Amino acid sequence: DPGSLLILTGDSDNPTDPLYTGSQKLSVNMYKRFAYRGLTDSDIYWINANSEVDIDSDGPYDNGIVDDNNLSVSNFVAKIKAEETVSKNGPFYIYMVDHGSNGAFKISAKDLDGDGSKEILYATKLKEALDEFVTQTSRNVVVMIEACKSGSFVPILTNNLTSDKIAVVT
């Protein structure tokens, strides 16, 4: 079983942010690499503010591969714990790309709950979700993070009960 993949492409700060274009291209590349490895569209779940991605480079046509444009911490964590995720076999890959800081990954610059804060995923929150996932499924997890300070996630995600099931690439 080739497993499953969850892609999270953060929204950067806006489409004029140089990281925005790079994040989109890196996510498309990751999608293609895993499709080449045997994952189908139903094995890949993609969260991206840009829902009109042209995966086959045939022009400005939406290929319908982005599954969700709700860039929130709660939505991302819920997807890790979702029935369609935990019921699969094989390794579970998570790919995240956008801005980061020490122990934190910016999912969105938008204030979704009106409290003046951005949607920030902290390494401790991700660790909680992964521990629950591994305990429930016994599947191996590979987390790939492309963001500044992403190495700060390594000691947090690979510490304690489920560390032998979680690999982190930054």
Side-chain angles (χ1 to χ4, degrees):
D1 186 336
S4 57
L5 169 66
L6 173 58
I7 299 174
L8 173 61
T9 308
D11 72 349
S12 295
D13 290 319
N14 60 60
T16 63
D17 181 343
L19 189 57
Y20 179 85
T21 301
S23 294
Q24 296 296 322
K25 287 181 180 181
L26 288 167
S27 295
V28 165
N29 188 37
M30 191 62 64
Y31 185 98
K32 287 180 176 181
R33 297 272 181 210
F34 275 82
Y36 180 74
R37 289 178 45 104
L39 272 69
T40 66
D41 189 52
S42 64
D43 299 322
I44 302 171
Y45 194 87
W46 192 349
I47 302 172
N48 187 351
N50 178 14
S51 60
E52 297 183 3
V53 174
D54 179 23
I55 196 85
D56 54 13
S57 303
D58 64 355
Y61 306 107
D62 177 15
N63 294 125
I65 57 169
V66 173
D67 300 289
D68 193 342
N69 61 1
N70 178 2
L71 292 174
S72 69
V73 172
S74 60
N75 185 48
F76 178 68
V77 169
K79 188 58 195 169
I80 292 171
K81 299 176 183 180
E83 175 59 33
E84 64 271 13
T85 305
V86 299
S87 65
K88 299 240 182 207
N89 295 312
F92 179 40
Y93 301 94
I94 298 174
Y95 176 71
M96 303 166 21
V97 59
D98 202 287
H99 291 287
S101 62
N102 194 17
F105 177 87
K106 184 181 68 62
I107 291 179
S108 176
K110 296 171 183 69
D111 176 13
L112 300 178
D113 57 10
D115 68 354
S117 65
K118 297 176 183 178
E119 288 292 310
I120 305 295
L121 174 67
Y122 293 98
T124 52
K125 180 76 170 177
L126 180 56
K127 175 64 172 165
E128 289 171 13
L130 294 179
D131 281 348
E132 185 176 325
F133 175 85
V134 169
T135 300
Q136 185 175 1
T137 66
S138 295
R139 288 172 63 191
N140 291 320
V141 178
V142 178
V143 181
M144 299 162 282
I145 307 171
E146 294 207 57
C148 289
K149 309 283 184 179
S150 57
S152 64
F153 276 67
V154 174
I156 296 166
L157 297 183
T158 60
N159 186 19
N160 82 22
L161 299 175
T162 60
S163 62
D164 62 330
K165 293 283 194 179
I166 300 173
V168 183
V169 180
T170 66

